[in-house]
Amino acid sequence: MKKTLLIVDDDLSILKLLNFILSKDYEIVVKNNGIEAFSWLEDGNMPKLIISDLQMPYFDGQSFVKNVKISGFYRDIPVILLSAAYDLDEQVANMPFKVEAHIAKPFNPTTLKTAINQALQVYDEQSSN
C-alpha cells in the first residue's frame, strides 16, 4: 500500500508536476490552499508527509504549517516546504516551528525525492519507538 502525501500549492502546473513525479511511489492528495488542506485533515485524513508552498491565497503556507505543528493530532507529520519565496532560508529560520526540509522552486526532482525519503524514514523510526 502506498503512503499518502498531501501536497498544498495554488499553482496548477506545480501540482501536476508533483503528481507526475511522485504518483508512481505515493498516493497523492492535492489541495489548492491551506484552508482546503486543513479541512481535509480535519475530515480524519492522515497523510504520511505534507509538501506545502509558502505563498498561497487565503491561508498561506506558513499559517497552515503552524496550525499543523501546534495541533495535537498532526504535529508529528513531516513537512517539506517547496517555495519560490526569494528569502526562503530566512523565512524558515524565523519560523516558530520545525520543518523537515525546505526546497526552492524551481526544484530538482531527485533532491525532492531524497528529502521525502529521509523525512519518511525518520518519521517511521520515531513512530516505531
Side-chain angles (χ1 to χ4, degrees), residues 2-16:
K2 293 181 180 180
K3 294 180 179 180
T4 301
L5 305 184
L6 171 59
I7 301 174
V8 189
D9 200 309
D10 63 320
D11 185 334
L12 184 59
S13 61
I14 293 292
L15 292 174
K16 286 182 177 182

Side-chain angles (χ1 to χ4, degrees), residues 6-117:
L6 171 59
I7 301 174
V8 189
D9 200 309
D10 63 320
D11 185 334
L12 184 59
S13 61
I14 293 292
L15 292 174
K16 286 182 177 182
L17 178 62
L18 290 171
N19 190 50
F20 177 77
I21 293 168
L22 300 172
S23 63
K24 179 182 171 205
D25 299 314
Y26 303 100
E27 182 72 31
I28 304 299
V29 175
V30 297
K31 299 298 173 187
N32 294 311
N33 60 57
I35 293 172
E36 288 180 11
F38 211 80
S39 176
W40 181 81
L41 290 170
E42 288 180 328
D43 284 343
N45 297 294
M46 189 66 80
K48 291 293 183 183
L49 183 132
I50 297 170
I51 299 172
S52 180
D53 188 10
L54 278 179
Q55 300 167 317
M56 296 181 288
Y58 312 117
F59 193 50
D60 67 27
Q62 185 165 343
S63 298
F64 167 67
V65 174
K66 179 181 177 186
N67 278 281
V68 166
K69 291 299 186 178
I70 64 173
S71 164
F73 293 113
Y74 318 118
R75 69 174 166 237
D76 295 329
I77 299 172
V79 174
I80 295 174
L81 294 176
L82 186 64
S83 182
Y86 73 94
D87 59 346
L88 180 59
D89 291 334
E90 184 178 325
Q91 284 191 46
V92 170
N94 290 325
M95 290 178 179
F97 49 83
K98 177 186 169 286
V99 294
E100 280 60 36
H102 61 282
I103 300 170
K105 294 176 187 176
F107 63 94
N108 179 319
T110 303
T111 301
L112 177 61
K113 287 181 178 182
T114 299
I116 291 169
N117 290 334

